[in-house]
Amino acid sequence: MFEPWGILVILIVCPLLGGLPLIAWITYALKRKQLSQVGTGNISVSAAFYHGGKIVGILAVLSEAFKGVAAVLLTRIFFPDGSSWELLALIALVIGRYWIGRGAGTTNVVWGFVVHDPLVAIFVSFFAGITFTILQSRKLVKFGVLLLFPLFVALLHFSDIPRILAAVALAGLMGWIYTKIADDMKLPAQEAQTESLAMLEFLRGERTMVSLDEELNAAIVGEKAATLSQIKRWGYPVPKGWVLAPIDNPEGLTEFLQPSELSPLVVRSSAIGEDSEYASAAGQYETVVNVTSQEALQEAIAQVQASYNHPSAVQYRRDRGLNDTAMAVLIQQQVQSVYSGVAFSRDPITQQGDAIIIEALPGSATQVVSGKITPEQYRAFVVETENSYSVQLEGQGRVPQSLIKQVAYLTYRLEKRYHGTPQDIEWSYDGQTLWVLQSRPITTLLPIWTRKIAAEVIPGVIHPLTWSINRPLTCGVWGEFFTLVLGDRALGLDFTKTATLHYSRAYFNASLLGDIFLRMGLPPESLEFLTRGAKLSKPSLQSTWENLPGLGKLLKRELSLEKDFKEDYHKRFIPGLSQLAQSDIDSLEPPALLARVDFILELLRYGTYYSILAPLSAALRQAIFRVKDGQIDHSVTPEVAALRSLSAIATDAKQILVEFEPQQVFEQLKQTPEGEKILQEFNELLQDYGYLSEVGTDISVPTWRENPQMIQQMFVQLMQGNEPQAGAKDAINSIFASKRKRSFVQRRVDIKGRVTEVYSRLLAELRWSFVALEKIWLESGLLRQTGDIFFLNFDEVRRLIGDEDSSLIEQLNELVEFRRSQFLQDSEIIQVPVLVYGNTPPHPLAPSELYSDQILQGIGASHGQAEGRVKVLRNLQEVPEVDRDTILVVPYTDSGWAPLLLRAGGLIAEAGGRLSHGAIVAREYGIPAVMDVRGATWILQDGQRVRIDGSRGIVELSNDLRPE
């Protein structure tokens, strides 16, 4: 009788015991911290050490050890000592620990096994200790133990098959849990409790000598070191190197390394947050070269570490809104450079095209980034085919062209490795090998914006009012879909940044979408699919499995799409549209019109959901069932239905007017009863489809009802065309359609058409509401001309109706005129780039109005134009007053000039290139800069007025001098 009760204890009590959150209670009682809300969210022993400190960690170990021992002892009440049931009890305990208690259960198993089989526990501990001492790898020991203890159980108890099987099952369960649960040991050490650092270092199995050959965590050793380790593991030449994490003691490494005159070292910064997508920190921290002794190595490490708290570095982080973290140190073998330089995989000035910008010099790369010497400049274009590549080069100099082509291809490949994110690369050539010294994202070229997809969804130039309504609706719904699939992995994603306007056109955030794709487990080339049109491979089985719950939720919505839409169609859309159609819009006052707009927007929130899901569903089904476009009937789509009806009316009209003048068609039709009937049918069609317009998603575009001229022209064109064949084609299509309407694909296409009709009708009602409001404001004199309201955003419209902002009313006409001017200017741009890099893309350059014939030519290093008075500054010993009217003229720039650049209106430097520190900082701060202007500090005088063009590299001089 005992055994059935024992089984119940194992199946019920042990999982509940495992799920008992003792660690969470201990941590909250002593430290007032909720472990489920910090770090990885796991409630584990390592989390207790990390977030709670040594005492909390020790208590956590004791509490989990108690559980493991208790499970074994409970089992012994019902079963013989050492039976396989004790291992089954530990399995049940671990299951509860993982699914209920959010922990791995390692401590439970270790102590439970000590009680279950002390001999096996001793053997396993002995071998694990030796392995850990020699290899110092916690991961290797952790998984090695899972192989050892079933093996020892089998060796010592070879006749006890159930016990062996239970041991294998327990090891397999633990191994599976280790792959699923995040490890708090991998969190940044600098955020842990100070008293736990030594323990953490021991538990992590970290060595004092971490090399670039290993897989490194950027949160611990900084982006620079982590990136170089990744590039090295990809197979690119990276000088051998070692890393000191912020908490590491440098003594062991300095004793190990033996720098000398023949084998010098370079000591570099690798600060947490440096060389990231958010900030380059170019030149902010120290680099010490030619380290040739152990004493010099110790001094260099201390110097690099101290540079983290240098005033200019602190100011830089403050300006960029970055948190203070810590400094890791990277020590590498120094390359004996014959040629060196830097390369940008994208032009940071034009921010368009595929040009690779390379700057090179004989000697070390520090000369290039220092800005003290003007390097040789090259532009390269890489053309890659399936089996080969070619490099086209612009520019000549002392550096061999074959080497520059090598650099160009290396740069091109590294950008591809980073999924299309533009890279800033530092390189060096020692006569035999082209070395990669650094690779980091070009911060000023992020995020990447793409017109792919956006150009189809929201084409053409867009008015502010249209955008202020479309953007939150569209971004909100996409955010809902992504969150549905990603779940907790969506944390930290800002879906409001999914889209923006450049040149008054819509662009989607390819960087954000790429991040979402990677989190969803889609192929890494997904970003390249958006930016370069690359082909997508199939997602891995593992990523599909991880996203299965979210994809299941999305599939559920797709399957219920037809039912949900029909329900909303009858309960929301039809009553709502009827209510809108029955109201006399011309008699409404502004507050009532605003209420009407809010009512429409509420319906549009539902409509936007269907306007995204329905086309997505139709496209997926069409791809899955391999239905060709020509086999699908789109007659439910309002534009297609309207055109077919118009075509039928035009065919009848052509039979009445065998001969007609295109300009007189409607007058000629009025002359006969048959023609009058045609006109009546035409007017009915205009009434039915009057909500349509040239751009269905843009409420600033007049509808057919307001501007029937376009549909009248279409009608005449159809009369001039050869309609009998088209009519026959429609008849054939209808035959096929009758068979296909029952298909999965056709039903989704029909829903898509009905959704388009509802959405278009709502947008038309929204437009008519704003037009009625604009009419009132035109009559009152608040606005000056028709169309002004579309140059306001919706928040401004709301504030004007509420009469809440007097300053807005005062500046209204000036604001509208400014936006109208910008809109017209953008409208004249015939070809906008498919890709835009960064948030402030350069506009096409307008012809410059010169002050005189005096022009200084340099290198455009930071785009934009600025006008102001010169302040010549040959050094930083006497820092002058600087403001936005100041154009700084300097011999060169390094990191120390950054605070001045933040306040200045523009920069002119006698030396340097696009990739020097001054140029990089100028771009980050968004001020125009022109480098390599020979003799600028002598030609230009304090107080002289100049205009600089950072895109073309031009300085325009004026003879206007004002005494200081």
Side-chain angles (χ1 to χ4, degrees):
M1 189 64 187
F2 260 19
E3 289 190 357
W5 285 106
I7 295 172
L8 286 177
V9 167
I10 291 172
L11 295 179
I12 298 174
V13 177
C14 286
L16 293 176
L17 180 63
L20 201 63
L22 296 180
I23 294 177
W25 293 343
I26 292 168
T27 308
Y28 185 77
L30 297 181
K31 293 292 181 177
R32 286 294 183 267
K33 286 185 178 180
Q34 295 279 7
L35 287 182
S36 61
Q37 298 175 10
V38 295
T40 62
N42 296 329
I43 303 172
S44 61
V45 169
S46 56
F49 268 108
Y50 187 96
H51 299 287
K54 194 189 313 183
I55 299 299
V56 172
I58 292 171
L59 292 175
V61 170
L62 293 175
S63 68
E64 294 305 308
F66 162 77
K67 290 182 184 179
V69 172
V72 174
L73 294 180
L74 275 173
T75 308
R76 289 184 176 180
I77 296 174
F78 305 98
F79 299 97
D81 291 0
S83 71
S84 60
W85 290 104
E86 294 177 7
L87 294 181
L88 293 175
L90 289 177
I91 290 174
L93 184 75
V94 169
I95 290 172
R97 183 79 180 89
Y98 176 71
W99 266 282
I100 304 173
R102 299 173 69 177
T106 303
T107 308
N108 308 132
V109 172
V110 168
W111 289 96
F113 210 93
V114 167
V115 176
H116 167 72
D117 196 333
L119 190 59
V120 170
I122 290 170
F123 277 115
V124 172
S125 300
F126 176 76
F127 280 95
I130 292 175
T131 305
F132 186 79
T133 303
I134 296 173
L135 300 178
Q136 289 284 297
S137 172
R138 181 170 175 266
K139 183 177 180 180
L140 192 63
V141 170
K142 186 166 64 173
F143 282 95
V145 165
L146 297 182
L147 294 174
L148 282 175
F149 89 76
L151 178 62
F152 281 119
V153 168
L155 290 174
L156 296 177
H157 309 285
F158 60 89
S159 61
D160 193 344
I161 301 301
R163 193 171 182 176
I164 296 171
L165 293 176
V168 170
L170 179 58
L173 175 63
M174 295 298 295
W176 180 81
I177 289 175
Y178 287 156
T179 65
K180 293 297 177 183
I181 197 164
D183 191 351
D184 289 81
M185 289 294 116
K186 294 182 179 180
L187 293 172
Q190 62 270 16
E191 296 176 12
Q193 291 287 312
T194 306
E195 66 206 59
S196 299
L197 289 177
M199 179 67 74
L200 285 174
E201 187 172 357
F202 173 78
L203 290 175
R204 282 174 168 173
E206 291 178 335
R207 291 171 290 173
T208 54
M209 290 180 289
V210 178
S211 79
L212 291 181
D213 295 317
E214 303 171 41
E215 183 176 351
L216 302 180
N217 187 342
I220 297 172
V221 300
E223 291 282 352
K224 182 183 291 181
T227 300
L228 284 175
S229 74
Q230 184 178 54
I231 292 172
K232 199 171 195 298
R233 283 182 286 107
W234 283 340
Y236 293 95
V238 173
K240 191 171 181 61
W242 302 265
V243 186
L244 282 172
I247 63 170
D248 285 346
N249 186 337
E251 199 171 308
L253 185 56
T254 54
E255 288 178 3
F256 171 76
L257 298 174
Q258 299 290 328
S260 65
E261 295 285 347
L262 296 177
S263 182
L265 299 176
V266 56
V267 181
R268 312 172 67 190
S269 65
S270 184
I272 315 300
E274 179 185 3
D275 291 347
S276 69
E277 293 189 2
Y278 307 102
S280 64
Q284 296 301 318
Y285 307 120
E286 290 284 348
T287 295
V288 182
V289 299
N290 292 318
V291 176
T292 58
S293 68
Q294 288 187 331
E295 294 76 14
L297 178 59
Q298 291 174 348
E299 292 175 7
I301 291 171
Q303 187 178 338
V304 170
Q305 290 173 331
S307 70
Y308 189 78
N309 295 314
H310 192 277
S312 64
V314 173
Q315 185 65 46
Y316 175 86
R317 294 196 296 272
R318 192 171 300 153
D319 293 339
R320 304 296 294 168
L322 303 173
N323 296 325
D324 288 338
T325 50
M327 172 70 80
V329 179
L330 172 61
I331 303 163
Q332 289 181 277
Q333 290 182 341
Q334 184 167 309
V335 176
Q336 301 304 309
S337 306
V338 178
Y339 300 102
S340 296
V342 286
F344 274 20
S345 64
R346 299 278 163 167
D347 191 332
I349 308 306
T350 64
Q351 301 186 9
Q352 298 171 23
D354 295 323
I356 295 169
I357 308 300
I358 300 169
E359 294 184 348
L361 276 176
S364 71
T366 54
Q367 298 178 90
V368 179
V369 297
S370 72
K372 296 181 180 181
I373 300 175
T374 301
E376 297 174 4
Q377 305 220 7
Y378 302 88
R379 288 170 65 86
F381 300 87
V382 176
V383 179
E384 189 173 39
T385 60
E386 190 171 343
N387 299 315
S388 64
Y389 74 93
S390 62
V391 180
Q392 299 174 357
L393 199 60
E394 297 176 5
Q396 289 184 340
R398 292 172 292 172
V399 182
Q401 293 214 342
S402 59
L403 175 60
I404 297 298
K405 288 183 177 181
Q406 247 187 294
V407 172
Y409 188 63
L410 169 70
T411 306
Y412 173 82
R413 294 299 304 172
L414 282 176
E415 185 190 273
K416 289 198 74 173
R417 274 288 193 173
Y418 284 105
H419 318 310
T421 299
Q423 295 293 302
D424 167 5
I425 294 156
E426 190 176 323
W427 58 272
S428 190
Y429 178 67
D430 62 4
Q432 293 183 329
T433 304
L434 176 61
W435 297 96
V436 180
L437 305 182
Q438 179 175 297
S439 186
R440 63 187 177 199
I442 306 176
T443 54
T444 54
L445 297 188
L446 296 175
I448 305 172
W449 301 94
T450 176
R451 279 285 282 165
K452 274 180 168 293
I453 308 172
E456 301 174 13
V457 177
I458 315 176
V461 286
I462 301 171
H463 288 76
L465 183 58
T466 299
W467 187 244
S468 68
I469 289 171
N470 279 10
R471 182 173 176 266
L473 286 172
T474 305
C475 293
V477 172
W478 275 114
E480 180 185 342
F481 286 137
F482 289 137
T483 303
L484 187 71
V485 176
L486 290 171
D488 292 342
R489 284 168 294 161
L491 293 174
L493 295 174
D494 187 355
F495 296 110
T496 62
K497 295 181 179 178
T498 305
T500 193
L501 287 184
H502 292 305
Y503 314 108
S504 296
R505 272 90 166 177
Y507 282 80
F508 285 162
N509 190 334
S511 298
L512 176 61
L513 293 174
D515 188 6
I516 292 169
F517 289 167
L518 291 174
R519 293 190 189 200
M520 291 174 67
L522 292 175
E525 66 269 20
S526 299
L527 178 57
E528 281 194 272
F529 166 74
L530 291 173
T531 58
R532 291 188 173 191
K535 291 183 179 180
L536 284 175
S537 59
K538 292 181 180 180
S540 66
L541 187 62
Q542 180 182 352
S543 66
T544 304
W545 176 260
E546 289 174 351
N547 286 286
L548 207 54
L551 292 172
K553 293 176 184 177
L554 191 60
L555 177 62
K556 184 179 178 182
R557 291 202 182 187
E558 194 278 337
L559 293 173
S560 65
L561 173 63
E562 187 172 1
K563 178 179 72 68
D564 293 342
F565 177 70
K566 284 181 178 179
E567 184 176 336
D568 280 332
Y569 186 77
H570 293 291
K571 290 185 178 181
R572 295 183 192 275
F573 298 131
I574 293 299
L577 287 168
S578 299
Q579 180 182 331
L580 292 169
Q582 290 169 9
S583 63
D584 182 8
I585 194 171
D586 294 325
S587 65
L588 299 178
E589 293 297 317
L593 286 170
L594 180 60
R596 176 187 171 90
V597 167
D598 286 334
F599 176 70
I600 296 170
L601 288 177
E602 185 60 29
L603 290 174
L604 274 171
R605 286 187 183 91
Y606 291 94
T608 303
Y609 168 82
Y610 291 114
S611 73
I612 291 175
L613 185 56
L616 186 64
S617 171
L620 286 173
R621 290 190 175 211
Q622 184 179 351
I624 291 170
F625 293 103
R626 298 182 180 180
V627 178
K628 296 180 180 179
D629 291 335
Q631 298 174 315
I632 297 175
D633 177 30
H634 293 280
S635 59
V636 177
T637 304
E639 291 88 346
V640 176
L643 188 59
R644 288 188 179 181
S645 298
L646 191 66
S647 176
I649 298 171
T651 301
D652 294 340
K654 192 174 180 181
Q655 293 175 354
I656 296 170
L657 298 178
V658 179
E659 295 182 0
F660 58 89
E661 289 291 329
Q663 304 299 327
Q664 304 294 324
V665 167
F666 288 90
E667 286 74 10
Q668 288 179 267
L669 286 173
K670 289 179 182 177
Q671 296 173 7
T672 63
E674 293 84 357
E676 285 284 354
K677 185 179 178 184
I678 294 293
L679 289 178
Q680 183 180 351
E681 291 177 4
F682 178 86
N683 290 329
E684 288 175 357
L685 181 143
L686 192 59
Q687 187 68 26
D688 290 340
Y689 296 101
Y691 58 88
L692 295 174
S693 69
E694 291 182 56
V695 184
T697 54
D698 191 347
I699 61 172
S700 67
V701 178
T703 59
W704 289 358
R705 191 178 82 177
E706 299 167 82
N707 182 21
Q709 183 178 358
M710 190 188 72
I711 195 168
Q712 289 172 351
Q713 291 174 349
M714 289 171 58
F715 177 72
V716 173
Q717 289 169 359
L718 287 170
M719 286 184 65
Q720 293 173 311
N722 188 4
E723 276 312 299
Q725 290 183 2
K729 183 179 177 181
D730 287 344
I732 293 170
N733 276 343
S734 65
I735 293 171
F736 280 107
S738 64
K739 296 179 180 179
R740 290 193 302 273
K741 282 181 181 177
R742 293 187 296 272
S743 73
F744 287 120
V745 179
Q746 187 62 50
R747 285 166 61 180
R748 282 297 182 266
V749 172
D750 290 345
I751 291 175
K752 176 185 170 185
R754 293 191 183 95
V755 168
T756 303
E757 178 190 355
V758 169
Y759 199 72
S760 300
R761 285 185 183 276
L762 289 172
L763 288 176
E765 293 288 352
L766 189 64
R767 170 183 164 78
W768 295 332
S769 300
F770 283 119
V771 168
L773 180 60
E774 181 184 57
K775 184 178 178 181
I776 296 172
W777 283 349
L778 288 171
E779 291 174 355
S780 67
L782 187 63
L783 296 177
R784 291 180 178 176
Q785 57 179 304
T786 302
D788 278 358
I789 196 169
F790 295 105
F791 291 105
L792 302 174
N793 61 50
F794 184 48
D795 180 63
E796 291 165 345
V797 171
R798 189 182 294 277
R799 281 153 51 199
L800 287 171
I801 292 175
D803 198 20
E804 301 170 356
D805 195 336
S806 57
S807 62
L808 175 61
I809 296 173
E810 292 173 6
Q811 301 171 4
L812 188 61
N813 291 319
E814 184 180 344
L815 178 67
V816 168
E817 282 307 310
F818 172 79
R819 289 177 180 171
R820 185 189 295 276
S821 173
Q822 185 66 53
F823 182 83
L824 293 174
Q825 179 182 331
D826 290 343
S827 301
E828 292 173 359
I829 303 173
I830 299 173
Q831 289 186 333
V832 297
V834 175
L835 298 179
V836 164
Y837 293 90
N839 289 315
T840 53
H843 283 264
L845 301 174
S848 177
E849 298 177 6
L850 300 180
Y851 290 110
S852 68
D853 293 334
Q854 294 178 283
I855 299 176
L856 300 179
Q857 180 69 53
I859 297 171
S862 180
H863 72 78
Q865 297 177 344
E867 184 177 338
R869 294 196 176 275
V870 164
K871 183 60 188 178
V872 178
L873 198 60
R874 294 188 175 89
N875 55 60
L876 280 174
Q877 292 177 359
E878 295 181 8
V879 179
E881 289 295 325
V882 174
D883 56 28
R884 285 299 179 188
D885 191 49
T886 304
I887 305 297
L888 277 179
V889 181
V890 300
Y892 65 91
T893 59
D894 59 21
S895 57
W897 302 79
L900 278 179
L901 297 183
L902 177 62
R903 305 200 299 271
L907 172 68
I908 301 170
E910 287 186 322
R914 294 175 178 175
L915 312 186
S916 61
H917 290 321
I920 293 171
V921 172
R923 287 194 293 271
E924 289 198 10
Y925 288 151
I927 66 171
V930 181
M931 318 299 283
D932 194 32
V933 181
R934 308 293 169 83
T937 59
W938 303 103
I939 296 171
L940 300 174
Q941 303 175 49
D942 284 350
Q944 184 175 11
R945 198 155 193 85
V946 297
R947 180 187 295 170
I948 69 173
D949 189 326
S951 303
R952 293 184 293 171
I954 288 175
V955 179
E956 304 168 8
L957 283 66
S958 169
N959 292 322
D960 175 17
L961 287 172
R962 180 179 302 171
E964 289 291 289

